[in-house]
Amino acid sequence: MRIALITLHRETNFGSVLQAYALKRVLQSYGHVELLDYTRPTHAGLRGFLRQVRSERGRWWSAKMVNAAIRAVEFAVAERRGFGEFFDMLCGISPQRFVGVDALRRDPPKADVYVTGSDQVWNPEYNQGIERAFYLDFGPASIGRISFGASFGVEVLPPDQVEPTRQLLRNYAALGIREPSGVALAEALGLSASRVLDPTLLLGLAEWSELTDGAWEEAYVLIYSVEEERGDQLGAAARSLADELGCAVWQVTANSGRYHRADQVDRLFSYSSPRQFLALFRNATYVVTSSFHGTVFSVVFERPFVSIAPPRYGERAKSLLELLGIENRYIEGSELPVKEVDWLAVRVVLEREQARSVSFLSSALAHASSRS
């Protein structure tokens, strides 16, 4: 079976590249997988900066312009230092890079099945509208289409996007969606959908440990957040735990870490690679995170952790922890959980959900390929 996979992979975001790696590795059990080297027109790198230049109409030193320039530089540095090497590890990325859905329509990938991968590929805010490439709006209609672990990131679509989204998703042979809210959203559109795990949870501790790069003898509380300007809340929680445990506070980030609080963090790992990110989670004494994938890898490596509700899109982590029976690790205030995690009980639930997700994937691929 030839499978063409499209997802959020070319991002300097640990969760994005690791979920792409995990899903590609799982799909390889079913045949040859080509990860489409797709870039959204709204990409945060150089294209994002140039787009901002146009929108600001020459006001070079506006706050938006300065922030866009910093983000473009950070993206370039991160891709060069650690993410580029991991992209190479993904192997099987399409030789052609596609920018925008029209590029895919002009030269559609040859495959038996098209797959929309995980992460917030259908988030209308993140994509600034409907990103049709992630809805597989390209290639022959005869090719079967499925999604696995896709996320809307929102519970309600903008009114003008409801009908276009319904029409696009009707072309799928099967919908595997990551959050209960996403399943409910699909069902509200009159479509059938199944809840599946994020693909990072389909690989086990041993498989992720193979990729780690780095080991430290020191004990530390690790901070990880993609909303780094929230350093006060996460830093305070981490410092409180570190004082109680008698250890240091470390923080990992994919960029420069310009928002980190130096008075709360003893060691900053800026421009880290995905491999170092994994190693820091594996060796952490405790994790403080406001990230969905920070929560995921705390579970993968069975580290004591607290998941602090982020300003947006917090349902992702909350629903996962409810599924695993450890919702007390998710907090929306300042009170830290005191109970230890029963990792044996978590493993039982996780193995059950892994089996369900893989069963869905096997059936979905078989059904989709039969339509080609």
Side-chain angles (χ1 to χ4, degrees), residues 233-277:
Q233 184 181 5
L234 273 72
R239 179 54 66 189
S240 173
L241 286 164
D243 289 346
E244 180 181 339
L245 297 169
C247 62
V249 175
W250 292 3
Q251 183 171 352
V252 61
T253 173
N255 56 32
S256 65
R258 65 186 187 278
Y259 291 119
H260 93 286
R261 285 283 303 273
D263 60 325
Q264 294 178 328
V265 176
D266 299 305
R267 185 173 180 182
L268 173 68
F269 291 79
S270 60
Y271 293 117
S272 286
S273 69
R275 288 159 61 84
Q276 186 178 63
F277 168 86

Side-chain angles (χ1 to χ4, degrees), residues 88-258:
D88 292 340
M89 281 185 60
L90 292 175
C91 64
I93 292 179
S94 62
Q96 179 180 352
R97 181 178 291 190
F98 302 93
V99 180
V101 69
D102 287 340
L104 285 161
R105 288 170 176 166
R106 287 191 298 269
D107 187 15
K110 295 176 175 60
D112 301 305
V113 180
Y114 288 164
V115 179
T116 299
S118 186
D119 222 348
Q120 296 186 69
V121 285
W122 295 336
N123 188 322
E125 298 174 7
Y126 185 62
N127 290 326
Q128 300 177 31
I130 295 177
E131 179 53 68
R132 288 179 173 268
F134 291 142
Y135 284 95
L136 304 176
D137 191 21
F138 56 85
S142 60
I143 295 178
R145 291 157 164 80
I146 72 167
S147 71
F148 187 87
S151 173
F152 292 99
V154 297
E155 297 184 25
V156 180
L157 292 173
D160 63 330
Q161 295 183 25
V162 171
E163 191 55 32
T165 300
R166 188 199 325 270
Q167 295 303 324
L168 288 164
L169 291 181
R170 277 179 174 171
N171 296 322
Y172 281 66
L175 295 172
I177 296 177
R178 196 174 62 184
E179 287 91 34
S181 60
V183 172
L185 199 159
E187 291 174 344
L189 296 174
L191 305 167
S192 176
S194 299
R195 182 184 184 181
V196 297
L197 292 175
D198 187 89
T200 50
L201 287 166
L202 298 185
L203 301 187
L205 187 152
E207 292 165 298
W208 285 119
S209 294
E210 291 173 2
L211 297 177
T212 59
D213 181 16
W216 302 268
E217 294 182 359
E218 302 95 321
Y220 57 90
V221 174
L222 181 67
I223 298 175
Y224 175 60
S225 173
V226 291
E227 296 95 12
E228 293 187 8
E229 64 275 13
R230 301 184 66 225
D232 285 347
Q233 184 181 5
L234 273 72
R239 179 54 66 189
S240 173
L241 286 164
D243 289 346
E244 180 181 339
L245 297 169
C247 62
V249 175
W250 292 3
Q251 183 171 352
V252 61
T253 173
N255 56 32
S256 65
R258 65 186 187 278

